């Protein structure tokens, strides 16, 4: 049994409850105790958050192979601190997303696009469940699979443009336009002379997206090959996780080095001033979730979002309401 793999009998879900079974009274009590510990720890945990954005930002000379995938750049606490800090910042993230939507009702064209890339099991789904779920109404999530016949009949950016967030929305891409310089390159699906031009096309496309008023946050969740093996083994150990296991993931592991080279090229060629990449060490799920949350908060804070003023006579409506 690999690292992190456990039998179903002992596997615990969120809050320490057994997966696939009704929680016992003991498990409910244990989960409640954990919630209390986190709540009591929130204020102190937030002080452990440093400059996550700069710590993770890809700059000139960045080397993916040098990243410690179990590290916690920009955060000085441990697991309990990280989970508590995530909780402590949920209210602000929800508030910022509501402000983003509110601005759009007054004509603002601004939006946010979160692009999430990573190898299989790197935690992309966990970002949706534990970070973005604070405000699902204002979120447009798109998971890009292998292109359909209709999509293949168009330019590779056609389906991407169709999925961009509307004003006031947070768009989330689970995989993205970058599959066309990752999978396509590794599997030699199109000639090199075709995919090698796509880096510049992607940069031009993202410049246009940013110019339209959308803030782009690009994240690569970076896990170690051995950590991926542990997570795949865990899925095989748990019948309630079989649905998440794809035998093709094992085949892809044989191309790991090719993928790392392809990702290095992506980071080298498409981390721009207007849309930089952030590489998030993802062996520790709690850290990856906190880091992505902080990257989103940095972007939203930088937008200086404001509540739109009333377009009606507030006092006049107050008087009318009191008389109704």
């Amino acid at each position: 049994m690999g690292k992190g793999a456990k039998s179903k009998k002992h596997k615990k879900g969120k809050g320490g409850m057994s997966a696939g079974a009704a929680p016992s009274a003991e498990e409910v009590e244990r989960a409640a105790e954990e919630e209390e510990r986190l709540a009591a720890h929130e204020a102190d945990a937030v002080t452990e958050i440093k400059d996550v954005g700069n710590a993770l930002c890809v700059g000139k000379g960045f080397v993916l192979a040098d990243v410690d995938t179990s590290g916690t750049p920009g955060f000085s606490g441990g697991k309990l601190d990280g989970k508590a800090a995530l909780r402590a910042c949920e209210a602000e993230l929800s508030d910022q997303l509501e402000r983003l939507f509110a601005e759009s009702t007054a004509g603002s064209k601004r939006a946010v696009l979160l692009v999430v890339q990573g190898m299989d099991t790197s935690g992309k789904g966990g970002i949706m469940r534990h970070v973005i779920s604070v405000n699902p109404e204002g979120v447009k999530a798109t998971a890009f699979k292998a292109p359909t016949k209709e999509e293949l009949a168009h330019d590779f950016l056609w389906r991407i443009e169709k999925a961009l967030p509307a004003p006031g929305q947070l768009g989330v891409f689970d995989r993205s336009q970058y599959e066309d310089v990752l999978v396509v390159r590794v599997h030699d699906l199109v000639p090199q002379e075709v995919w090698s031009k796509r880096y510049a096309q992607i940069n031009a496309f993202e410049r246009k997206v940013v110019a339209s008023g959308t803030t782009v946050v690009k994240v690569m969740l970076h896990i170690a090959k051995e950590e991926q093996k542990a997570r795949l083994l865990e899925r095989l150990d748990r019948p309630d996780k079989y649905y998440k296991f794809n035998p093709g993931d094992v085949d892809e592991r044989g191309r790991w080095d090719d993928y790392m080279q392809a990702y290095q090229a992506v980071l080298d060629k498409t981390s721009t001033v207007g849309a930089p990449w952030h590489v998030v060490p993802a062996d520790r799920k709690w850290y990856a979730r906190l880091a992505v949350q902080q990257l989103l908060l940095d972007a939203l804070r930088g937008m200086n979002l404001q509540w739109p003023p009333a377009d009606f006579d507030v006092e006049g409506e107050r008087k009318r309401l009191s008389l109704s």
Side-chain angles (χ1 to χ4, degrees):
M1 194 175 293
K3 175 186 173 184
K6 301 179 182 179
S7 68
K8 184 180 179 184
K9 177 179 178 182
H10 299 291
K11 178 65 184 177
K12 303 298 182 183
K14 185 177 180 181
M17 296 186 185
S18 297
S24 66
E26 180 183 353
E27 287 172 332
V28 171
E29 182 178 357
R30 186 162 54 243
E33 290 175 352
E34 181 179 1
E35 290 296 306
E36 289 179 4
R37 284 198 302 274
L38 291 175
H41 207 58
E42 286 181 13
D44 290 337
V46 170
T47 66
E48 306 288 351
I49 301 172
K50 311 305 179 185
D51 193 348
V52 174
N54 279 331
L56 301 178
C57 192
V58 171
K60 187 176 181 180
F62 177 87
V63 179
L64 184 61
D66 290 344
V67 174
D68 177 3
T69 56
S70 64
T72 61
F75 187 72
S76 55
K79 183 175 182 179
L80 177 62
D81 304 297
K83 293 174 73 173
L86 183 74
R87 274 183 43 139
C89 294
E90 285 176 351
E92 183 188 358
L93 180 58
S94 181
D95 177 75
Q96 291 282 359
L97 291 175
E98 187 176 359
R99 288 171 183 260
L100 178 66
F101 174 77
E103 273 200 354
S104 72
T105 67
S108 171
K109 302 299 183 184
R110 297 200 290 180
V112 175
L113 174 62
L114 172 64
V115 174
V116 185
Q117 287 285 155
M119 297 294 285
D120 295 309
T121 77
S122 60
K124 296 183 292 294
I127 297 301
M128 287 300 302
R129 291 191 298 275
H130 297 276
V131 180
I132 310 303
S133 60
V134 298
N135 193 351
E137 293 83 5
V139 174
K140 180 181 181 181
T142 307
F144 289 99
K145 309 290 186 182
T148 65
K149 287 184 178 180
E150 180 186 20
E151 290 167 344
L152 287 171
H154 294 81
D155 177 85
F156 77 101
L157 290 169
W158 179 76
R159 64 175 183 164
I160 306 299
E161 189 165 14
K162 284 178 60 180
L164 289 172
Q169 286 185 326
L170 165 63
V172 184
F173 285 177
D174 179 347
R175 303 188 189 276
S176 65
Q177 59 269 26
Y178 289 97
E179 293 297 285
D180 287 282
V181 286
L182 290 167
V183 174
V184 164
R185 168 178 171 162
V186 171
H187 285 270
D188 198 24
L189 298 179
V190 300
Q192 180 175 353
E193 64 182 30
V194 174
W195 60 253
S196 63
K197 296 177 181 177
R198 290 178 174 172
Y199 302 111
Q201 292 173 314
I202 289 172
N203 287 342
F205 172 74
E206 291 179 355
R207 282 196 298 271
K208 184 174 71 172
V209 171
V210 171
S212 73
T214 297
T215 297
V216 178
V217 180
K218 299 189 300 194
V219 172
M220 178 199 175
L221 299 176
H222 189 32
I223 61 171
K225 188 177 182 181
E226 283 305 303
E227 176 63 20
Q228 187 199 56
K229 178 188 286 188
R231 295 182 185 184
L232 290 172
L233 283 170
E234 182 181 24
R235 291 179 180 180
L236 291 173
D237 285 339
R238 295 178 56 187
D240 63 323
K241 295 296 182 183
Y242 288 170
Y243 77 97
K244 297 180 71 174
F245 186 86
N246 181 353
D249 294 344
V250 181
D251 298 328
E252 292 296 87
R253 284 176 56 77
R255 299 182 172 90
W256 188 275
D257 290 344
D258 293 335
Y259 272 108
M260 294 302 103
Q261 291 176 14
Y263 267 110
Q264 181 67 61
V266 163
L267 300 171
D268 288 342
K269 297 176 183 295
T270 65
S271 189
T272 62
V273 174
W277 274 102
H278 295 84
V279 173
V280 175
D283 284 3
R284 303 177 193 267
K285 294 179 182 179
W286 62 265
Y287 171 75
R289 293 162 186 169
L290 176 65
V292 174
Q293 180 198 62
Q294 295 305 307
L295 292 172
L296 275 177
L297 279 173
D298 284 350
L300 290 161
R301 290 165 182 158
M303 296 170 73
N304 190 27
L305 298 161
Q306 302 295 319
W307 297 110
D311 58 358
F312 51 85
D313 181 355
V314 175
E315 290 307 315
E317 291 303 308
R318 193 189 307 277
K319 290 177 182 177
R320 283 205 320 131
L321 185 59
S322 65
L323 295 173
S324 64

